[in-house]
Amino acid sequence: MDLRKIKSALKTALIGSVFSFAAIATNANAGVTDEDILNDAKNTENVVSYGIGLQAQRYSPLDKVNADTVKDLVPAWSFSFGGEKQRGQEAQPVIYDGRIFVTASYSRLFAIDAKTGQELWEYNHRLPDGILPCCDVINRGAALYGDLVIFGTLDAKIVALNQKTGKVVWKSKVDDYKAGYSLTAAPIVVKGKVITGVSGGEFGVIGRVEARDALTGKLVWIRPVIEGHMGHIWKNGKKTDNGVTGTRGATWPGDMWKTGGAATWLGGTYDHEVDLLFFGTGNPAPWNSHLRPGDNLYAASTVAIDPDTGKMVWHYQSTPNEAWDFDGVNEFISFDLKKDGKTIKAGAKADRNGFFYVINRKNGKLISADPFVTRQEWTTGVDMKTGRPVETATARPGDPAKSKDGKKGTSTFAVPSFLGGKNWMPMAYSPKTDLFYVPANEWGMDLWNEAITYKKGAAYLGAGFTIKPLYEEYIGALRAMDPKTGKQVWEYKNNAPLWGGVLATGGDLVFFGTPEGYLNALDAKTGKELWKFQTGSGIVGIPVTWEMGGEQYIAVPSGWGGAVPLWGGDVAKRIKTLNQGGSLWVFKLHKS
Ligand code: CA
């Protein structure tokens, strides 16, 4: 080897080592890593994912705040989202390195000093006229990855901001907001990919799951969840066909699958042990089920998707040929089911249709299905042989095509109402008590079907409805469900419908908010109310907890709104005195 070659080789080696040093240095500053996200449920100093871990158990082992100390829980500070944009605040805050990132109504995102409550920066997404959010201008939270904070917007975009500056790093258009698409769910990040669904179920949009490179926003794969639609995967920057979902035409008549709905509007969860994403899918479109005889896969289902390839691995359909707006979007929470001396890798889901399902998360096999509501006037139970619900004779409203004028069918009274035995608000699971804490509602509806044809950007229902409370005393009920028996262990009744998420802690407490404005702490074993605090507006957000400087903190957004005041029918009368707001409340133990 001559000298020149040696010099050149040396230079290459040096450059190589400089580069690798630079790469290590960048990693040290890289912020939130995949490992941080996988360990989120155990690391009590940060909350770096929606669900407090990708399994979404919403359980923190923190126990300084417990049955003995919770009486000393007092506000540390409160932060106003400001402006005139005081609508439903349904977010779960995320916390990293002393900063809180919380989304607010109208696609806003705030970065706040976790110690002082001081604003660090604010991002106001510029929304065009003509966005089509079905159920208030809400947002449910952001994802963290590297030095980015990532969230979806009401005009169907994903925006990634620098955590320190709030500057836009990348932006990606998901779809056409004029066709009814929007994004309200919190994204999750799995193996460096940001995973999202789509909102817009009542406009005949096609539900799908998408994976993007979390650092660049570039698409990796797309999986539509309605049978017949082509999936895609990007290979060397090129969009490539990745197989049709299911078998086109197998469970849908004619062309109905083309506008078949099943919006994946609540986002998904992930389980590391079986390496699968779990997404719930919305109701098939339109609501009028007489127009689409067949099971209408994969609407009103739970689907398991391979996070690397975007292929569907299994599905379980909770409501075949769905007819009541029983979206199957609810969170599927993986957990270890200890039953009959065995530990089964399971998952649980409290569905809009009123059933609490326990499913084997490796293969989708149904383990149990039990009601978590007091009345279910559309079914007599699930046939465990077929996994299908048995419908009552009066479950479905009449076919409008068979009515005198061909326009409006006969009405039926169905329970739960279309807002569900449980809606979007996430339940929690405590591995300490082995119980799920389900925010449930008791209501029914008069429901009838009407003639309808698809029109881009117009509501695609073919139905009319009026929601009615079932009981004078209460609508909402937080219920502790035992996944081993499917039985309710205790319940806490609430006058207004519950619409906020739940947090369980190692201090054996369960935290959740009410539309009446209270953040409540109950005993996780008995349901006894131990503490409550009035936040000044209704709570429809999700509480979280973390540790800072040796103290345990609890945060919850407050701000009344969401779907209930917009769609609540007779229920809306009960809640008309509740006031709007928009703030983040943070609590810690008072030091005497
Ligand atoms: Ca729906």
Side-chain angles (χ1 to χ4, degrees):
M1 196 185 272
D2 68 22
L3 194 64
R4 223 171 50 203
K5 271 188 184 161
I6 292 171
K7 266 189 183 166
S8 142
L10 202 63
K11 209 167 146 190
T12 311
L14 272 173
I15 289 168
S17 67
V18 169
F19 273 153
S20 58
F21 176 74
I24 290 162
T26 318
N27 276 343
N29 278 327
V32 179
T33 63
D34 287 301
E35 215 171 320
D36 291 337
I37 295 169
L38 284 179
N39 290 326
D40 199 21
K42 293 187 190 89
N43 179 342
T44 53
E45 292 187 353
N46 298 315
V47 176
V48 296
S49 58
Y50 184 81
I52 318 184
L54 295 172
Q55 290 184 312
Q57 292 185 348
R58 299 192 174 279
Y59 172 81
S60 166
L62 286 173
D63 61 3
K64 281 186 180 147
V65 180
N66 54 47
D68 294 331
T69 62
V70 71
K71 63 180 186 330
D72 297 323
L73 199 60
V74 292
W77 50 264
S78 164
F79 174 90
S80 172
F81 298 141
E84 291 157 3
K85 298 173 174 175
Q86 297 194 333
R87 297 293 294 265
Q89 310 298 345
E90 293 190 355
Q92 180 216 295
V94 283
I95 296 135
Y96 182 67
D97 205 13
R99 294 190 199 93
I100 299 181
F101 303 92
V102 61
T103 60
S105 48
Y106 289 101
S107 305
R108 291 176 294 164
L109 198 157
F110 295 86
I112 306 165
D113 184 311
K115 260 251 147 73
T116 63
Q118 171 116 30
E119 179 173 313
L120 301 170
W121 53 259
E122 173 180 348
Y123 172 79
N124 266 282
H125 188 71
R126 190 173 297 175
L127 290 168
D129 290 338
I131 52 168
L132 294 165
C134 79
C135 307
D136 203 3
V137 285
I138 55 99
N139 186 280
R140 301 196 169 106
L144 299 176
Y145 195 68
D147 57 3
L148 301 178
V149 50
I150 305 163
F151 83 121
T153 63
L154 291 165
D155 59 345
K157 290 193 175 71
I158 303 174
V159 184
L161 308 163
N162 181 286
Q163 286 172 16
K164 293 214 166 97
T165 63
K167 293 252 154 62
V168 175
V169 177
W170 59 260
K171 229 185 242 191
S172 181
K173 180 183 163 177
V174 173
D175 216 309
D176 183 4
Y177 67 84
K178 288 178 193 146
Y181 285 93
S182 61
L183 257 78
T184 51
I188 58 169
V189 176
V190 175
K191 298 200 249 188
K193 295 187 277 285
V194 58
I195 313 285
T196 50
V198 292
S199 306
E202 316 318 344
F203 297 97
V205 311
I206 294 300
R208 61 187 194 238
V209 181
E210 300 188 332
R212 285 174 172 76
D213 183 313
L215 294 177
T216 65
K218 287 211 168 70
L219 270 163
V220 180
W221 53 256
I222 293 181
R223 173 53 51 197
V225 297
I226 288 283
E227 176 181 272
H229 291 266
M230 179 62 80
H232 291 100
I233 189 159
W234 274 254
K235 286 182 181 158
N236 305 317
K238 262 209 176 123
K239 187 177 180 181
T240 315
D241 283 356
N242 193 28
V244 165
T245 300
T247 309
R248 188 174 296 166
T251 65
W252 288 85
D255 281 346
M256 296 298 283
W257 59 279
K258 288 184 179 168
T259 49
T264 44
W265 56 263
L266 197 47
T269 61
Y270 170 76
D271 181 68
H272 179 62
E273 284 181 344
V274 299
D275 193 23
L276 288 172
L277 295 165
F278 305 109
F279 267 72
T281 64
N283 59 288
W287 284 23
N288 179 352
S289 68
H290 302 288
L291 294 172
R292 42 174 174 75
D295 279 356
N296 312 139
L297 291 170
Y298 296 87
S301 301
T302 304
V303 297
I305 295 172
D306 182 325
D308 299 315
T309 64
K311 295 256 178 168
M312 206 182 276
V313 175
W314 59 255
H315 77 276
Y316 173 76
Q317 190 177 45
S318 36
T319 319
N321 190 226
E322 193 285 326
W324 307 267
D325 191 32
F326 292 155
D327 293 53
V329 291
N330 280 111
E331 67 285 357
F332 181 83
I333 299 180
S334 50
F335 74 109
D336 289 335
L337 174 69
K338 291 161 212 130
K339 197 173 178 176
D340 309 330
K342 281 186 288 186
T343 301
I344 303 163
K345 286 188 202 309
K349 174 172 174 177
D351 199 283
R352 280 256 279 261
N353 70 16
F355 285 112
F356 181 82
Y357 295 97
V358 180
I359 290 170
N360 184 312
R361 71 178 184 265
K362 279 198 285 194
N363 54 29
K365 203 173 170 290
L366 182 66
I367 296 168
S368 62
D370 297 280
F372 65 92
V373 288
T374 60
R375 282 168 65 178
Q376 261 180 315
E377 272 157 48
W378 68 280
T379 175
T380 54
V382 172
D383 179 339
M384 288 305 292
K385 278 206 190 89
T386 61
R388 298 168 73 91
V390 180
E391 284 180 30
T392 60
T394 56
R396 287 170 193 264
D399 185 351
K402 289 178 185 152
S403 69
K404 261 192 201 147
D405 61 0
K407 284 182 187 153
K408 187 181 166 182
T410 53
S411 182
T412 191
F413 185 70
V415 183
S417 80
F418 71 94
L419 287 176
K422 173 178 171 298
N423 202 282
W424 79 276
M425 55 284 190
M427 61 184 181
Y429 169 72
S430 166
K432 221 177 144 193
T433 60
D434 280 333
L435 297 174
F436 279 86
Y437 301 99
V438 183
N441 288 314
E442 297 284 348
W443 42 22
M445 64 177 166
D446 290 323
L447 176 70
W448 59 93
N449 283 157
E450 295 161 357
I452 182 87
T453 49
Y454 175 77
K455 202 171 142 244
K456 183 186 161 184
Y460 187 43
L461 301 184
F465 44 81
T466 309
I467 289 199
K468 295 187 163 148
L470 298 180
Y471 307 112
E472 266 307 306
E473 184 196 355
Y474 74 105
I475 298 170
L478 189 80
R479 296 194 165 121
M481 295 291 294
D482 183 342
K484 295 186 289 297
T485 61
K487 296 255 164 15
Q488 177 186 307
V489 177
W490 55 254
E491 73 175 330
Y492 175 95
K493 291 174 182 170
N494 196 70
N495 186 261
L498 294 181
W499 210 253
V502 184
L503 165 72
T505 72
D508 281 335
L509 298 177
V510 175
F511 289 91
F512 68 102
T514 67
E516 289 90 339
Y518 289 101
L519 178 64
N520 289 337
L522 309 184
D523 186 311
K525 288 181 190 141
T526 63
K528 189 181 165 211
E529 184 185 287
L530 299 173
W531 175 89
K532 64 178 176 179
F533 180 87
Q534 174 56 251
T535 62
S537 178
I539 296 179
V540 291
I542 311 171
V544 290
T545 186
W546 74 104
E547 199 168 19
M548 199 163 52
E551 291 181 281
Q552 185 181 349
Y553 288 76
I554 288 144
V556 71
S558 168
W560 172 235
V564 180
L566 298 172
W567 295 102
D570 288 354
V571 169
K573 284 177 205 150
R574 237 191 239 198
I575 50 162
K576 67 180 190 302
T577 58
L578 303 175
N579 291 325
Q580 289 179 309
S583 56
L584 182 70
W585 282 88
V586 172
F587 303 87
K588 62 174 188 166
L589 293 175
H590 172 68
K591 277 192 241 169
S592 50

